[in-house]
Amino acid sequence: MLALRLTRAARLAVQLRRLLVASASAGTGFLLLCALGHALTHPDAPGASSLRLAWCAAPLAATVYLAVAVARADPGTRPRPGLSAIGLGPGRLMAVSAATTALSAALGSVAALLGFLYLRGDLTGAPVDGAVSGVLALGQRLPAPAVVTLLALVPAAASAAVALTLRPRDPRPAPSAGSRRYGRFGAYGWGAARETFGAYGRYGARLASASASASAPASASASAPASASASASASASAQPAGGRAAGAAQADPSGALLTQASDTLPPATTDGDGSARDATGPVPGTPRSHTTLLPWGIAVLTAGLAVETYAGDTATRDAAPSAGVLLGWALATLGLALAGPGLTHLCGRLLQAVRPGALRLLAGRVLMEESHRVGRPLGVVCAVASAAYAAAALHDADATDFGPLSLIGAVVVAGCTVATLLTAAVEAKHARTDTTDALLRLGAPPTTLRAAAALRAGALLAVFGPLTLVVAQLASLPLAR
């Protein structure tokens, strides 16, 4: 009931995104029902029917990917402070988001069933005669368990993926068990604060008041240096035991120069549970590096192209694309999705290279910060564009007719990937709203922000455009022979 109320009260943009999920679910469900109809019409060709069902995995994965992106960008199911008091904690909001996704996908599945029954003539009494009549199982009774199973596949997979993605996570770092930290000599116990070697006996770490009093001359005005030495000793004793001195020179009224040999370490910050945080950790606000998966993405992409090449060499001339080609495309898509954040991060670094100005610096930092949001959808769009380019090249070379079902699958996959990329871009824009408002308050002109956005788009196009062409050429070579 709560999911229905949130669906009704959502804004127009959210409703449009959910309508896209329902449309993608309808297209995927229709393709699954057509695979079932082909199996009923051609019982003597189970291999061809299984291959059709296997190729339905591409629109199914694209629909689930779009559903996850739409659920992440939904502002109505984001955790807010105070909602846990009324029973809407992170776990409950995750369940509401999964239920909303299941409702949208179920609506699309019902629309697919109605469209399939209309084409069969079960609703009007007159079946549609055309290219799809061979996969409608005309004159045969549809098995209800198979229909329900196929139509429930998209809502179940989408809701499970949303629940897995939006599951509550503990923001606190996991405590390190079994690793003992050794501090200064003579320290005992499992100290949480890390202490560098020799910090206890470092020169200047503990200034004694006797050194300042000994350097003061014996004169009639002895009260002034005494007060100065007392203040110096008080400031020295206020520093932490393992810290370094400030490094600034202080002069007392007698002319003696009090120097401190080293800098002061910042005090150890503690988390909410009281555990000290390591001072050598990453500084907040620094863009995280997402280039660790780039070599793995390149390796998986290479493996996918190799599998596709092998499958294309072993296939016959007039045969349909085999399951090996599907596996190669799946591996290539996974590799580009893994390499996408790293390539986006490198784009941001290249924009800031060679003495950047304010515009290039702003565009590069934003790309580095948002590489984990837009990098993966960019990689998937690159893979889909490569597949479309290879399919177009194959069509021009062999004059192959793909048929209406192939066009439906291509439209579903391409539409889902592009919609996912746009949803991720909108989510990234909303995430940096505070930064944009701060720049506008500081006097940055809006034209600078628009120019930075155009520069980011140009940099991404300059990197992912040639990559798409190269992957498409490598993928189309074994299929064109």
Side-chain angles (χ1 to χ4, degrees):
M1 186 61 66
L2 181 59
L4 287 175
R5 291 182 178 179
L6 289 177
T7 302
R8 288 177 51 194
R11 294 178 297 179
L12 181 60
V14 179
Q15 298 287 9
L16 289 178
R17 289 196 289 264
R18 291 172 180 170
L19 184 61
L20 286 177
V21 174
S23 302
S25 176
T28 306
F30 182 77
L31 292 176
L32 290 172
L33 291 178
C34 288
L36 175 63
H38 186 273
L40 293 176
T41 307
H42 305 86
D44 54 344
S49 301
S50 301
L51 185 59
R52 284 176 176 266
L53 186 62
W55 274 99
C56 292
L60 175 61
T63 303
V64 172
Y65 194 44
L66 175 62
V68 171
V70 169
R72 288 185 58 183
D74 191 357
T77 55
R78 292 176 183 173
R80 294 181 178 87
L83 291 181
S84 298
I86 59 175
L88 291 177
R92 182 71 181 277
L93 290 178
M94 178 268 297
V96 169
S97 182
T100 304
T101 304
L103 286 175
S104 302
L107 179 62
S109 297
V110 171
L113 178 61
L114 292 177
F116 189 76
L117 294 178
Y118 176 79
L119 293 178
R120 278 172 49 90
D122 295 339
L123 301 180
T124 60
V128 176
D129 189 11
V132 296
S133 59
V135 295
L136 297 178
L138 299 177
Q140 300 186 24
R141 184 181 180 85
L142 293 177
V147 172
V148 172
T149 301
L150 291 178
L151 291 181
L153 187 60
V154 179
S159 59
V162 168
L164 183 63
T165 304
L166 302 182
R167 68 187 185 277
R169 295 179 177 89
D170 191 3
R172 296 174 301 178
S176 58
S179 60
R180 179 167 181 171
R181 299 177 179 178
Y182 295 94
R184 55 181 171 81
F185 179 76
Y188 180 78
W190 303 78
R194 183 176 297 178
E195 198 172 74
T196 57
F197 178 78
Y200 181 80
R202 185 177 291 114
Y203 175 75
R206 291 167 179 80
L207 295 178
S209 59
S211 59
S213 60
S215 62
S219 60
S221 57
S223 58
S227 60
S229 61
S231 62
S233 60
S235 63
S237 61
Q239 297 176 354
R244 301 175 183 175
Q250 299 178 359
D252 59 0
S254 63
L257 189 62
L258 301 179
T259 58
Q260 298 177 355
S262 54
D263 298 334
T264 303
L265 285 175
T269 57
T270 57
D271 295 332
D273 56 351
S275 61
R277 191 179 303 167
D278 191 4
T280 62
V283 180
T286 303
R288 296 173 296 176
S289 177
H290 299 277
T291 58
T292 55
L293 293 179
L294 183 57
W296 294 100
I298 296 175
V300 174
L301 174 62
T302 306
L305 293 177
V307 169
E308 185 185 356
T309 303
Y310 178 78
D313 290 339
T314 57
T316 59
R317 181 69 177 175
D318 298 329
S322 61
V325 177
L326 175 61
L327 179 60
W329 275 116
L331 289 177
T333 304
L334 178 61
L336 288 174
L338 291 177
L343 292 176
T344 308
H345 194 274
L346 290 180
C347 285
R349 284 192 174 274
L350 291 177
L351 281 179
Q352 301 175 79
V354 193
R355 301 181 64 181
L359 184 61
R360 289 170 51 199
L361 187 62
L362 177 61
R365 295 285 288 185
V366 170
L367 271 183
M368 292 171 62
E369 185 67 29
E370 295 177 355
S371 59
H372 65 287
R373 281 193 178 97
V374 300
R376 194 158 296 166
L378 269 175
V380 176
V381 169
C382 178
V384 172
S386 302
Y389 183 87
L394 181 63
H395 179 269
D396 294 339
D398 298 342
T400 306
D401 189 10
F402 293 104
L405 296 182
S406 300
L407 293 179
I408 292 176
V411 168
V412 169
V413 172
C416 287
T417 52
V418 173
T420 303
L421 178 59
L422 295 178
T423 303
V426 171
E427 182 186 2
K429 180 181 179 181
H430 290 167
R432 65 172 185 270
T433 302
D434 297 338
T435 304
T436 304
D437 294 341
L439 290 175
L440 292 176
R441 285 195 304 267
L442 290 175
T447 55
T448 303
L449 301 180
R450 289 192 290 267
L455 186 59
R456 293 195 301 270
L460 292 176
L461 185 61
V463 172
F464 282 91
L467 177 63
T468 302
L469 294 178
V470 169
V471 174
Q473 289 289 343
L474 293 177
S476 60
L477 286 178
L479 298 178
R481 289 201 298 264

